[in-house]
Amino acid sequence: MEKTSQSDCSRANEARIGPSLLREGFGLRAAHRWRIPLKFSLSVLSLAIFLGGCGANTPKTATQAETRPAAPPVPEEIQLAAASLLGSESQVLAFGDLAKNGKQEFLVANVVPKTPTNNLPGTIVTRVVIAENTDGKWAEVLRCDEHLKNQKGFLGLTPLTPVTGWRLQYEQSEIKGLELYFTPLKGTTDSHVLPIGVRWNPETKRYQSLDRSYEHFLTESPTLNTARSSLR
């Protein structure tokens, strides 16, 4: 029987172990080579998730924040009625239950466009009308041209001298309804007089002017000569 020398055993063991170590070494080197790209991929993925989360909470831009719903279009019926009262170039500024009296109304004006000679702040108008719908027919309930008038006559505080231009300010109150403020102007310069307040009076059921405290209604005058027209 042949004896196996220790050297032969060693060579045999090396023959068996060698390929295994080579394979293991190859695997370790491969794992080492893949470890860096894997770490890099995880880092990129984490960064993407972080940025995605930040993007979801990013405040809206100024353009997005300032975007508001568009005003509802003016019904054709109101546009036609407004054109019949103040012409095709008139502008409907508001419509609906303006006086909070259950009736449909609209506010229309001849607005003076902004030009180098008209740089006054606010809405400058030459004529203004509020019309009300009663039984399907539109009728004036307030007119502002050279003076302020309603169905009963000239409003209190209307100027005796004809006014060619007014600064119009208006706002809608959920309780008091439409509130208007007319400031008479002289030419293209601001006269700095106090505005005349006008509002629907539920007691008399018509638009009337207010005193200087804007709390009490003033009566109308049938003629301009007797109208209380002092502007203080």
Side-chain angles (χ1 to χ4, degrees), residues 47-115:
L47 179 60
I49 294 173
F50 174 77
L51 292 178
C54 291
N57 298 324
T58 303
K60 294 182 178 180
T61 62
T63 304
Q64 292 173 328
E66 292 174 1
T67 302
R68 296 178 180 177
V74 180
E76 184 179 2
E77 176 191 0
I78 292 179
Q79 289 180 333
L80 293 174
S84 67
L85 291 171
L86 292 184
S88 58
E89 300 300 320
S90 59
Q91 297 182 30
V92 177
L93 304 178
F95 63 92
D97 186 6
L98 302 182
K100 300 300 178 185
N101 60 358
K103 294 186 177 182
Q104 291 297 303
E105 296 180 339
F106 65 81
L107 171 68
V108 60
N110 291 133
V111 180
V112 179
K114 294 294 182 182
T115 63

Side-chain angles (χ1 to χ4, degrees), residues 111-205:
V111 180
V112 179
K114 294 294 182 182
T115 63
T117 57
N118 172 32
N119 55 6
L120 293 172
T123 304
I124 308 303
V125 299
T126 55
R127 294 185 298 171
V128 177
V129 164
I130 293 181
E132 183 180 270
N133 192 311
T134 304
D135 298 328
K137 295 182 179 179
W138 294 99
E140 288 186 22
V141 291
L142 178 73
R143 174 172 280 265
C144 167
D145 44 28
E146 295 180 335
H147 306 282
L148 294 170
K149 297 169 282 189
N150 65 11
Q151 309 96 306
K152 295 293 183 179
F154 296 91
L155 301 191
L157 297 180
T158 189
L160 289 175
T161 343
V163 177
T164 57
W166 304 79
R167 177 186 291 112
L168 172 64
Q169 297 168 280
Y170 62 95
E171 59 184 10
Q172 185 70 30
S173 168
E174 291 299 325
I175 299 175
K176 298 179 180 179
L178 184 64
E179 299 176 294
L180 304 107
Y181 300 92
F182 297 91
T183 305
L185 304 175
K186 290 183 178 180
T188 56
T189 60
D190 193 345
S191 57
H192 295 288
V193 297
L194 292 175
I196 303 170
V198 176
R199 198 173 70 227
W200 176 264
N201 185 348
E203 298 296 328
T204 60
K205 300 187 184 307

